[in-house]
Amino acid sequence: MKAIVQDRYGTADLSQFMDIDKPKIGDRDILVRVAAAGLDPGIWHLMTGRPYPVRMGFGLRRPKTPVLGADTAGHVEAVGRNVTRFAPGDEVFGVCKGSFAEYARTTSDKLVSKPPNLTFEQAAAVPTSAVTALRGLRDTGNIQSGQRVLIIGAAGGVGTFAVQIAKAYGAEVTGVCSTAKTDLVRALGADDVIDYLHQDFADGSRYDLVLDTAGHRSLSHLRRAITPRGRLVIVGSEVGGRLLGGTDRQLRAMLLSPFVGQKLGTLVAMANQEDLETVADLLATDAITPVIDRTYTLGRVPEAIRYLHDGHARGKVVITV
Ligand SMILES: NC(=O)c1ccc[n+]([C@@H]2O[C@H](COP(=O)([O-])OP(=O)(O)OC[C@H]3O[C@@H](n4cnc5c(N)ncnc54)[C@H](OP(=O)(O)O)[C@@H]3O)[C@@H](O)[C@H]2O)c1
């Protein structure tokens, strides 16, 4: 099968589009014929092995899984003997090992049925970003109906889902984005939009909940936008060095939180079946809709990674296989 393979850490130029063997499946595994694969900034971290703590989980000297890609939509090709939830031919989406390939392996707990109203490209855009938005708002953020919620990075991969999910929870939502994307964020349902190129979100109202996906503002700056007993959820940042990447603000937020009135938190969102089901229900009822910026063919994955890493995608970037 064709796949994007990168067997050492480094830039996207090191990845090769080549023929390799199809993954073999065990009794509990599922083989998916990939129709589309989603991209998110985590792929860049796994590809480069940066920040360095990434290597503790994914291979110290070289990537344990040389085929990149995780978010997947496609058809079940084959199932192991112990798999009962899925059968060959089912249309599914979720997380696989190495989805930048024609076939990828996974297990039942990382897969759900694709809602019929979604294309494969739309479904592949969902798993990591939508589950992160859901868990950031619902679990770490404890979002409540009627709350004033600020989403920073509202036009990005996580942000476009977060605006819609916060609205589905009945919040009054303000999105922060650059000038060219204000119309998009309003169209997603935001009640108000702040253009960060012209206005500082911390200069105006205070919010019950702030979700930061952009990572360009200091912890103290973010705290200025939150009510005295409000919550901050730091999703991530691409601004930072090789050692900590953008995670230093998350570490400081967790250390400071017990000593202040505001709750300052973060999360590591791994897509699981229960959260994917919740997101699939929201998609099936059109409460949320994926926003796709660009699609690239499998052979153009390096180009897609470079585009996303520039940090200004309009929603999601998807690979068609
Ligand atoms: N904790 C977790 O489990 C988890 C899971 C998924 C992702 N993440 C992390 O979360 C972050 C966001 O992911 P993503 O997929 O949403 O990335 P993305 O699609 O690249 O979105 C980044 C957003 O940042 C905005 N931005 C860039 N410069 C800005 C600035 N100076 N001020 C304000 N906003 C600015 C961009 O808006 P404009 O285009 O309008 O400039 C864009 O919407 C990444 O660091 C990622 O690694 C964490």
Side-chain angles (χ1 to χ4, degrees), residues 10 26 64 99 121 123 153 162 206 218 242 244 250 263 269 287:
K64 280 186 206 161
S99 64
E121 283 79 13
R206 289 195 165 204
S218 65
R242 285 163 186 257
L244 290 175
Q250 277 132 297
K263 284 209 166 8

Side-chain angles (χ1 to χ4, degrees), residues 163-164 181-190 193:
V163 169
Q164 299 178 78
K181 293 172 183 158
T182 53
D183 286 349
L184 166 68
V185 174
R186 271 207 187 84
L188 292 172
V193 179

Side-chain angles (χ1 to χ4, degrees), residues 38-249:
L39 203 60
D40 82 285
I43 299 291
W44 184 89
H45 295 292
L46 297 183
M47 183 185 81
T48 56
R50 283 166 41 192
Y52 290 138
V54 163
R55 301 184 187 209
M56 310 278 262
F58 295 92
L60 278 183
R61 294 169 67 83
R62 51 183 65 241
K64 280 186 206 161
T65 310
V67 182
L68 293 168
D71 290 358
T72 313
H75 294 89
V76 171
E77 175 77 7
V79 298
R81 270 192 304 192
N82 298 345
V83 175
T84 52
R85 279 187 60 229
F86 295 102
D90 289 353
E91 296 188 347
V92 291
F93 77 105
V95 173
C96 292
K97 269 199 167 77
S99 64
F100 295 163
E102 289 175 305
Y103 296 90
R105 191 181 55 198
T106 190
T107 46
S108 297
D109 55 339
K110 296 192 173 62
L111 224 49
V112 295
S113 298
K114 179 180 82 62
N117 58 332
L118 250 59
T119 64
F120 286 104
E121 283 79 13
Q122 287 176 311
V126 171
T128 300
S129 300
V131 166
T132 301
L134 174 74
R135 294 192 50 187
L137 292 167
R138 182 195 63 188
D139 302 346
T140 318
N142 191 28
I143 190 169
Q144 304 294 323
S145 178
Q147 279 186 332
R148 305 192 69 233
V149 174
L150 183 75
I151 313 284
I152 307 171
V158 176
T160 46
F161 286 110
V163 169
Q164 299 178 78
I165 292 172
K167 284 306 295 177
Y169 271 85
E172 187 189 321
V173 178
T174 300
V176 180
C177 62
S178 55
T179 318
K181 293 172 183 158
T182 53
D183 286 349
L184 166 68
V185 174
R186 271 207 187 84
L188 292 172
D191 301 282
D192 203 357
V193 179
I194 294 174
D195 171 356
Y196 71 76
L197 295 172
H198 293 103
Q199 194 187 339
D200 184 344
F201 60 77
D203 281 349
S205 326
R206 289 195 165 204
Y207 298 88
D208 303 302
L209 171 58
V210 172
L211 187 90
D212 180 31
T213 74
H216 289 262
R217 293 297 190 167
S218 65
L219 183 56
S220 57
H221 198 104
L222 294 170
R223 289 186 61 204
R224 273 178 39 211
I226 307 169
T227 58
R229 313 220 43 99
R231 286 186 187 239
L232 169 66
V233 180
I234 302 182
V235 174
S237 171
E238 299 302 304
V239 185
R242 285 163 186 257
L243 188 59
L244 290 175
T247 57
D248 53 321
R249 292 178 320 151

